Amino acid sequence: MPTLIEAPAVIEAAGNQPKRIEEYAGRVRTAHDGVSVARMVAPSGWVEPGQRPEFEEITVVLKGLLRVEHEGGVIDVEAGQAVVTRAGEWIRYSTPGPEGAEYIAVCLPAFSPDTVHRDT
């Protein structure tokens, strides 16, 4: 039988400003460890620490602009675009545009604070 997820779990985010993370499926909301699906809403000027996660992340930008820094440069992902980051590569997300960004993040396996490996 299908399972309705009536509301996401709201999770505290890393970064220099408050960012809203709404997990619909993953370790917190549904006890899934193979995948996580979350909606993110980040204000203009938000920056999180760099990270070298053990999971692949597929990010679909719904509104605004999401900047993805990586060891080879920078990718700006605009509304209607997506980016895939591979497990083990260093990345840092930010929202330099005036409207911030709203995006969906899918992590395989599921996001975990123990496997994200943020810079100190």
Side-chain angles (χ1 to χ4, degrees):
M1 177 171 157
T3 302
L4 174 65
I5 300 169
E6 293 185 11
V10 177
I11 300 169
E12 184 176 335
N16 65 330
Q17 297 181 45
K19 174 181 98 167
R20 185 170 177 87
I21 299 176
E22 299 172 347
E23 183 186 274
Y24 285 87
R27 295 177 194 272
V28 175
R29 182 65 181 92
T30 60
H32 283 91
D33 59 3
V35 64
S36 59
V37 178
R39 175 179 173 256
M40 316 284 195
V41 180
S44 176
W46 168 81
V47 179
E48 75 174 352
Q51 58 192 22
R52 193 176 297 274
E54 295 178 24
F55 48 83
E56 180 176 58
E57 187 167 353
I58 302 162
T59 304
V60 180
V61 178
L62 305 173
K63 295 180 185 174
L65 178 129
L66 180 68
R67 177 162 289 160
V68 182
E69 296 175 62
H70 55 95
E71 290 175 312
V74 173
I75 299 172
D76 283 342
V77 188
E78 298 179 11
Q81 297 180 324
V83 63
V84 178
T85 58
R86 308 291 190 283
E89 63 185 1
W90 182 87
I91 53 173
R92 178 172 43 212
Y93 296 110
S94 63
T95 53
E99 63 180 313
E102 178 182 339
Y103 55 99
I104 302 292
V106 178
C107 299
L108 303 156
F111 176 90
S112 165
D114 296 332
T115 62
V116 72
H117 305 296
R118 288 198 174 97
D119 296 348
T120 53

